[in-house]
Amino acid sequence: MAVETTLDRARSNRILAALPRPELERCLPHLERVVYPIRQVLHAPGEPITAVHFPESGWISMLAVLADGGAAEVGLIGREGVVGLPLFFGTDRSPAEAMWQSGSVALRMSAEAFREATAEGTTLRSLVLRYAMCFTAQVSQTAACNGRHSIEQRLARWVLVAHDRDEADEFPITHEFLSMMLGVRRAGVTVVAGRLQKAGLIRYRKGLMTVTDRAGLEAHACECYGVVRREYDRLLGPGWRARRD
Amino acid sequence: MAVETTLDRARSNRILAALPRPELERCLPHLERVVYPIRQVLHAPGEPITAVHFPESGWISMLAVLADGGAAEVGLIGREGVVGLPLFFGTDRSPAEAMWQSGSVALRMSAEAFREATAEGTTLRSLVLRYAMCFTAQVSQTAACNGRHSIEQRLARWVLVAHDRDEADEFPITHEFLSMMLGVRRAGVTVVAGRLQKAGLIRYRKGLMTVTDRAGLEAHACECYGVVRREYDRLLGPGWRARRD
DNA sequence: TAGCTACTGTACGCATTCGGACAGTCGGGC
DNA sequence: GCCCGACTGTCCGAATGCGTACAGTAGCTA
């Protein structure tokens, strides 16, 4: 069995993978591989953010925590991005929460090292800037989507967004959890998920969802999926997804 | 009548006002005062953004344009900010639209000049970074808000956000227009605006709205107003608003 | 001051989603 | 192989908001 080096693993994250070799090598000593349990909170609202994380696989939800104790997902981060943008923006805390949803392997870099690694003239700086633009576009579209589109459209969109960040066609997710992410009732998710399953677009059982017809899902989802996807493709190149179509 | 210099006017925009004098003076030759008609589009979805704008007064809506031809407001920019963040993020276009809503006086800086003015080590760069963080927080909270809160809460919040960016307690806005911004029916706005008026929080007639009880509005609005406001206060200092409480 | 237009008020039936409850079923652990 | 807990399916009444329509009114313009 081959020994997997930090260099190999860094190639899993699309931002790190896009760095020129010398710059990546300067980063390597500051990258530490970490594995977290599912639902692990990477940073909580108002708490200091001490490090950024470059996911190797799976995805992290960015959540806005509400007064009633609930949380609404406003964006999703996978191997195309980095968790901890507030540090880049010059602050060590944020009103949002970052929580692991799937996967759970990332490369961790301390706030201090990240600041140096994104100094003027570095490729990392311009990549993170572009990623920040993508993420903002995702959140913006989510804002519009939450106000205008049906649960069915939003669920189809959510599955596609997650699927883009997953190596496999199946991933663990329950209706209960989806309902929290979408900000709707669990029963509402069950009903529309049942419709999507009946239409042959997905399959699921006991907390495991399988995508069986991507094209069909795209047809059922609102335009928000395509708008954001095109923005990611445009700014990060078309290779940022974990899977091929 | 005193001659108002570009320097004086730059003090109206909180980002420019926060620059050290020498840095501001280097910017001045690149700042041009522009006046636009209401509803003027500063940048349309997918079209090249050729300049940034530092508003002196009033506010601009950032909109996500939807497939049905409608548009949903995802954020609001006033004298505390700058329109054209995509340029800062390294791209000259965006899926969003920026449109004047009130006021309409800004200082314009070309993309080229903006790039130089935000070079490494400048105060402008760090100010714009912090502002970008604020704006992202605003959009995130809007995403959550759109999914969870009632029209009444959202309208109260919207009025507060606009009020923060307006010198006067009254500003021109019709129910029709508010309904487009909030993504709801015009009739829905009329009903809840009527309730807020009956409660003595606002007054309006024929396209002119007046805030008569800010504290009452804050009590009626969802927590989203406070969450975002605190983030702006924290990162930009408490003086970013056009008015006192 | 008459008329026009833009804006506001209100009503009706309908669709979606909610909040809550409860029954059915899957599948891992013992 | 059985049990139990987690997950899914379904139902109810109620609330919210939608789409549409039309009437009333304020205020500008001629």
Side-chain angles (χ1 to χ4, degrees):
Chain A
M1 179 180 160
V3 173
E4 201 188 21
T5 64
T6 305
L7 179 67
D8 294 332
R9 290 195 295 260
R11 295 291 183 202
S12 299
N13 179 275
R14 300 300 296 180
I15 290 183
L16 297 176
L19 292 178
R21 183 64 180 260
E23 188 172 333
L24 177 56
E25 282 177 354
R26 281 197 301 277
C27 288
L28 290 180
H30 304 288
L31 290 167
E32 178 196 4
R33 185 175 204 240
V34 288
V35 180
Y36 293 114
I38 204 165
R39 311 290 177 250
Q40 169 79 36
V41 172
L42 284 182
H43 59 81
E47 298 293 313
I49 304 171
T50 57
V52 299
H53 291 82
F54 297 92
E56 283 184 40
S57 65
W59 64 83
I60 288 106
S61 285
M62 293 303 306
L63 305 165
V65 176
L66 297 172
D68 65 6
E73 187 177 77
V74 299
L76 219 144
I77 302 174
R79 66 205 281 274
E80 81 287 357
V82 56
V83 180
L85 285 181
L87 287 175
F88 188 73
F89 287 138
T91 178
D92 72 341
R93 56 201 72 196
S94 154
E97 174 170 305
M99 187 176 71
W100 273 105
Q101 296 287 11
S102 171
S104 61
V105 183
L107 291 163
R108 182 185 189 280
M109 182 186 272
S110 74
E112 178 64 22
F114 181 63
R115 190 165 24 249
E116 283 170 26
T118 52
E120 172 68 6
T122 60
T123 303
L124 186 57
R125 171 188 275 283
S126 68
L127 289 171
V128 172
L129 271 171
R130 277 162 164 267
Y131 174 68
M133 173 72 197
C134 289
F135 187 72
T136 300
Q138 185 187 9
V139 178
S140 296
Q141 201 68 37
T142 301
C145 191
N146 284 351
R148 310 287 193 102
H149 298 139
S150 69
I151 296 182
E152 183 160 343
Q153 290 176 304
R154 287 163 57 199
L155 177 59
R157 179 186 171 213
W158 192 94
V159 172
L160 286 167
V161 172
H163 193 222
D164 279 343
R165 286 159 180 78
D166 205 86
E167 283 86 25
D169 285 335
E170 65 180 27
F171 42 84
I173 191 83
T174 65
H175 293 182
E176 175 73 31
F177 206 79
L178 271 172
S179 77
M180 296 195 302
M181 295 301 100
L182 298 178
V184 299
R185 285 174 321 139
R186 197 272 309 161
V189 171
T190 298
V191 169
V192 303
R195 284 207 285 265
L196 296 182
Q197 179 161 248
K198 206 158 284 173
L201 311 180
I202 58 174
R203 233 175 330 122
Y204 59 87
R205 59 175 229 293
K206 296 298 270 183
L208 192 67
M209 176 166 297
T210 309
V211 174
T212 53
D213 180 358
R214 258 197 80 89
L217 274 177
E218 295 187 20
H220 270 68
C222 45
E223 76 269 23
C224 300
Y225 172 70
V227 168
V228 176
R229 158 84 180 260
R230 280 190 291 279
E231 192 68 357
Y232 274 70
D233 285 351
R234 179 174 81 85
L235 289 170
L236 308 180
W240 60 272
R241 279 160 287 119
R243 306 164 331 87
R244 276 186 269 294
D245 284 325
Chain B
M1 179 180 159
V3 173
E4 203 188 20
T5 64
T6 306
L7 178 67
D8 295 330
R9 289 195 297 261
R11 295 291 183 201
S12 299
N13 179 275
R14 300 300 297 180
I15 290 184
L16 297 177
L19 292 179
R21 183 66 180 260
E23 188 171 335
L24 177 56
E25 282 177 353
R26 281 197 301 279
C27 287
L28 290 180
H30 304 289
L31 290 168
E32 178 196 4
R33 185 176 204 241
V34 287
V35 180
Y36 293 114
I38 204 165
R39 310 290 176 251
Q40 170 79 36
V41 172
L42 284 183
H43 60 81
E47 299 293 314
I49 302 170
T50 58
V52 299
H53 291 83
F54 297 92
E56 285 184 41
S57 65
W59 64 84
I60 288 105
S61 286
M62 294 303 307
L63 304 164
V65 176
L66 298 172
D68 64 6
E73 187 177 77
V74 300
L76 219 143
I77 303 173
R79 66 204 282 273
E80 82 287 356
V82 56
V83 180
L85 284 180
L87 287 175
F88 187 74
F89 288 138
T91 177
D92 71 342
R93 57 201 71 197
S94 154
E97 175 171 304
M99 186 175 73
W100 273 105
Q101 295 287 13
S102 172
S104 61
V105 184
L107 291 164
R108 182 185 190 279
M109 182 186 271
S110 73
E112 179 63 22
F114 181 63
R115 188 164 26 249
E116 283 171 26
T118 52
E120 172 68 4
T122 60
T123 304
L124 187 58
R125 171 189 277 282
S126 68
L127 289 171
V128 171
L129 272 170
R130 277 161 165 267
Y131 175 68
M133 174 70 198
C134 289
F135 187 72
T136 301
Q138 185 186 12
V139 178
S140 296
Q141 201 68 35
T142 301
C145 192
N146 284 351
R148 308 287 192 101
H149 298 140
S150 69
I151 296 183
E152 184 160 340
Q153 291 176 302
R154 286 163 58 198
L155 177 59
R157 177 187 171 212
W158 192 95
V159 172
L160 287 167
V161 172
H163 193 222
D164 279 342
R165 287 160 180 76
D166 205 85
E167 282 87 24
D169 284 336
E170 65 180 27
F171 42 84
I173 190 83
T174 64
H175 294 180
E176 175 71 32
F177 206 78
L178 271 172
S179 77
M180 296 196 302
M181 293 304 98
L182 297 178
V184 300
R185 284 174 323 140
R186 197 271 311 162
V189 171
T190 297
V191 170
V192 303
R195 285 206 286 263
L196 297 182
Q197 179 161 248
K198 208 159 283 173
L201 311 181
I202 58 174
R203 235 176 326 124
Y204 59 88
R205 58 177 230 290
K206 297 299 271 183
L208 193 67
M209 176 167 295
T210 308
V211 174
T212 53
D213 180 359
R214 257 196 82 91
L217 274 177
E218 293 186 23
H220 269 69
C222 43
E223 76 269 22
C224 301
Y225 172 70
V227 168
V228 177
R229 159 87 179 259
R230 281 190 291 279
E231 191 68 358
Y232 274 71
D233 285 350
R234 181 175 79 86
L235 289 169
L236 307 181
W240 60 271
R241 281 161 285 122
R243 305 166 331 88
R244 275 186 270 293
D245 283 327

